[in-house]
Amino acid sequence: MANTSRPVGRTALLASAVALAGLVGACGGESSTSSAPQPSRAPRTTAPDTGTGTASGTAPAATTAPSDTAGSASASARTDGRCHTSELRAAVGRVDPGAGQRNFPIVLTNTSDRTCTLYGYPGAAFVDASGEQLGPDPERAPASPETVTLTPGKSAWAGLSFSSPQISGARTATPVALLVTPPDEHDPIEVKWTAGEVPVGGDESSVSLSALEAGTGP
């Protein structure tokens, strides 16, 4: 009986040891499998997202830049296309009397070597020898202005009109010069006035200006 119980006890003890070793091994294996991928997955997931975001953010900047540059160039071209005072010569044409009116063409000629444009009404003011303005600013005659393109040497004109002082009875003065300011410019061009007295006050003293059009007169 004693010999039979010892082998059985050893067998049970060995079985318990094997089972315990298997349990410890299994626990160690689970710990390695669940933790190892965690640090390796995070960089793989983050890197593609960062790269895609940068590419997506860069693309609109590359597309927008040429558009802005083109817009600025276009705006600059429109601004530079206007005729400036320094590029023009002004003159007063011969009087065209009619129906109690005195009508004069104010002519602006392009003296530059480039093509430029004029649009709208010129400014005009009669002045005396001291440079003081005589009378109010001319009124603008109703019109639908159009852009006038002047190649080098070409001209545009606007009509300066007022009632003959001998007929209207307006108070008059004799200017020394007429200051002509091109549209959208600040500096005037001085033109010697040789056509006698002009109305500067009283009834029927208004002077009118028409919009610029191509040519040197009607």
Side-chain angles (χ1 to χ4, degrees), residues 92-112:
V92 177
R94 295 180 60 181
V95 63
D96 178 23
Q101 289 286 112
R102 303 189 73 189
N103 309 298
F104 300 86
I106 297 177
V107 183
L108 293 173
T109 302
N110 180 8
T111 59
S112 73

Side-chain angles (χ1 to χ4, degrees), residues 41-64:
R41 274 202 301 267
R44 289 195 203 104
T45 303
T46 303
D49 289 347
T50 303
T52 303
T54 302
S56 176
T58 304
T63 303
T64 302

Side-chain angles (χ1 to χ4, degrees), residues 82-94 104-112 114-125 140 146-160 178-192 209-218:
R82 188 179 78 243
C83 297
H84 302 294
T85 299
S86 60
E87 300 173 307
L88 298 168
R89 179 180 68 249
V92 177
R94 295 180 60 181
F104 300 86
I106 297 177
V107 183
L108 293 173
T109 302
N110 180 8
T111 59
S112 73
R114 74 179 184 98
T115 297
C116 59
T117 60
L118 292 172
Y119 176 84
Y121 298 80
R140 292 182 173 183
E146 296 183 358
T147 299
V148 181
T149 301
L150 299 183
T151 56
K154 293 300 182 179
S155 303
W157 72 280
L160 176 74
L178 176 69
L179 302 183
V180 179
T181 306
D184 299 316
E185 291 290 299
H186 298 289
D187 298 324
I189 305 170
E190 183 174 320
V191 182
K192 185 178 180 180
L209 268 175
S210 65
L212 286 161
E213 53 186 292
T216 58

Side-chain angles (χ1 to χ4, degrees), residues 1-12:
M1 294 295 293
N3 292 335
T4 302
S5 61
R6 286 194 191 100
V8 171
R10 289 194 194 96
T11 301

